[in-house]
Amino acid sequence: MSQQAASDAIRSTGEDLPVAFAAIEAAAERIAGRVARTPLIASPSLAALTGQPIHLKLETRQPVGAFKLRGAMNALLALDETARRRGLVTASTGNHGRAVAHAAREAGVPAVVCMSALVPANKIEAVRALGAEVRIVGRSQDDAQAEVERLVNERGLTALPPFDHPDVIAGQGTIGLELVADLPDLATVLVPLSGGGLAAGIALAVKTLRPKVRVIGVSMEKGAAMAASLKAGRPVEVVEEETLADSLGGGIGLANRYSFPLCRALLDEVVLVSEDEIAAGIRHAATAEGETVEGAGAVGIAALRTGKLRPEGPTALILSGGNIDPALHRRLVNGASA
Ligand SMILES: *Cc1c(COP(=O)(O)O)cnc(C)c1O
């Protein structure tokens, strides 16, 4: 969409967009002191490569190693007393599941994470170590999700989805407030894109404060559900494929209510990167920046290195997470291809 249309869409917030900027400001107040206010650091190597000032937002420094803590913490703190007492439930085995477990423990709220019997033991242990109750059910993610719904109906637990929820989107949007505060002449933001909660929140925050800023979503070429949905003009399903950017896998939900309309209204462009480009991005983060990032967190670097996205003006990249298997990371940094 054009920048004019974007700022018009934002000026009429409330009517057209399903989450309001004020919700992001409220989230910032709610989660202050409970999540990290992460650093934004200059990247001389990417500046040399692109000829523009490039900055890295280190969400890798959050407790649990990914930005998802912002949305989970905000959604949890927005619950009333009864809902908190009963607790939260999710079926995510990745960064969202960890974030829910960590936020729940911090706030003294019980949390249940449902997983299928096929989830690897190290992932189960990681969630258990964060204090959540793990329930092993069935042999697929659908079975785990069915258990979530059962617990919602039978025990009154609150299900917390990973991206399509107003409080989750508002929590992720606090990154946008920090970007504008730290880099007032921000011109371009590159955001890893999966279900679109991160991109929607950041775009809403940044474009409300700076309507001319361009917000670009970056996904992997293999199985990018939001990219396909934006192209189709409605949520569509894609075949899930194995990718180095495992945190970007999965669908956006055919009944998507919040993140899809926001991404459709606010993203200027979506760029897709290949597995080899993601591997090179992970390697670049390690060797040139000294940062350990997972595949999903490296897609912005990949988009710049390949020249698929030519940044204009001061640019921020969201290094969204750092949870990568150490052996895989070592192999990639040592030059193995994807
Ligand atoms: C979840 C996640 C994303 C994508 O966020 P969405 O809100 O689903 O678009 C990107 N990077 C990491 C590390 C994640 O865990």
Side-chain angles (χ1 to χ4, degrees):
M1 79 186 304
S2 72
Q3 282 173 10
Q4 189 53 48
S7 47
D8 285 352
I10 283 175
R11 254 180 238 113
S12 57
T13 311
E15 250 75 79
D16 300 323
L17 298 177
V19 179
F21 176 71
I24 300 176
E25 292 180 303
E29 211 161 286
R30 216 180 261 134
I31 68 179
R34 293 177 176 261
V35 308
R37 194 208 187 283
T38 54
L40 183 71
I41 62 161
S43 166
S45 71
L46 292 170
L49 208 73
T50 60
Q52 301 289 337
I54 309 292
H55 301 263
L56 309 175
K57 180 69 166 163
L58 301 183
E59 288 300 301
T60 47
R61 305 279 174 91
Q62 288 294 350
V64 311
F67 73 89
K68 288 229 172 49
L69 189 57
R70 294 176 185 260
M73 187 68 86
N74 184 49
L76 189 160
L77 296 175
L79 294 176
D80 65 25
E81 232 358 271
T82 312
R84 280 198 208 195
R85 212 166 32 243
R86 289 181 178 158
L88 294 172
V89 60
T90 180
S92 164
T93 61
N95 287 331
H96 177 66
R98 292 185 196 204
V100 167
H102 179 89
R105 186 171 61 182
E106 290 289 299
V109 166
V112 181
V113 180
C114 304
M115 300 185 187
S116 95
L118 301 182
V119 171
N122 62 332
K123 285 200 168 183
I124 296 173
E125 273 325 302
V127 170
R128 223 173 241 149
L130 289 166
E133 175 191 340
V134 174
R135 284 179 82 92
I136 309 289
V137 273
R139 302 190 65 77
S140 72
Q141 184 62 19
D142 285 349
D143 292 340
Q145 191 54 44
E147 179 70 2
V148 169
E149 275 141 40
R150 201 183 65 77
L151 291 172
V152 168
N153 292 328
E154 289 181 12
R155 280 169 46 185
L157 303 193
T158 300
L160 197 57
F163 52 85
D164 198 28
H165 187 291
D167 295 327
V168 171
I169 292 170
Q172 323 306 27
T174 58
I175 294 172
L177 303 182
E178 293 173 18
L179 289 179
V180 172
D182 290 352
L183 194 61
D185 58 350
L186 179 68
T188 309
V189 188
L190 271 68
V191 189
L193 178 66
S194 176
L198 178 63
I202 290 177
L204 181 58
V206 161
K207 292 197 172 209
T208 301
L209 298 170
R210 297 280 188 280
K212 294 215 167 95
V213 170
R214 285 168 49 77
V215 180
I216 320 290
V218 190
S219 300
M220 65 293 180
E221 287 172 350
K222 290 166 124 191
M226 182 60 86
S229 300
L230 291 171
K231 209 171 233 174
R234 66 190 158 80
V236 294
E237 278 174 339
V238 296
V239 178
E240 194 162 349
E241 295 182 70
E242 206 167 302
T243 167
L244 278 177
D246 55 324
S247 293
L248 301 185
I252 71 164
L254 292 179
N256 188 297
R257 290 174 61 194
Y258 304 100
S259 62
F260 175 74
L262 284 164
C263 285
R264 186 174 53 184
L266 301 176
L267 291 189
D268 293 277
E269 195 181 333
V270 175
V271 172
L272 302 180
V273 291
S274 73
E275 295 300 301
D276 281 339
E277 291 162 359
I278 295 169
I282 292 172
R283 198 176 304 128
H284 182 102
T287 56
E289 318 291 348
E291 294 295 327
T292 299
V293 297
E294 57 178 282
V299 294
I301 297 177
L304 288 189
R305 281 175 49 90
T306 57
K308 283 183 175 171
L309 193 280
R310 296 193 183 284
E312 296 157 28
T315 296
L317 270 54
I318 314 299
L319 303 196
S320 52
N323 292 322
I324 183 169
D325 172 52
L328 171 63
H329 189 256
R330 220 173 300 122
R331 276 205 307 284
L332 292 172
V333 171
N334 288 335
S337 66

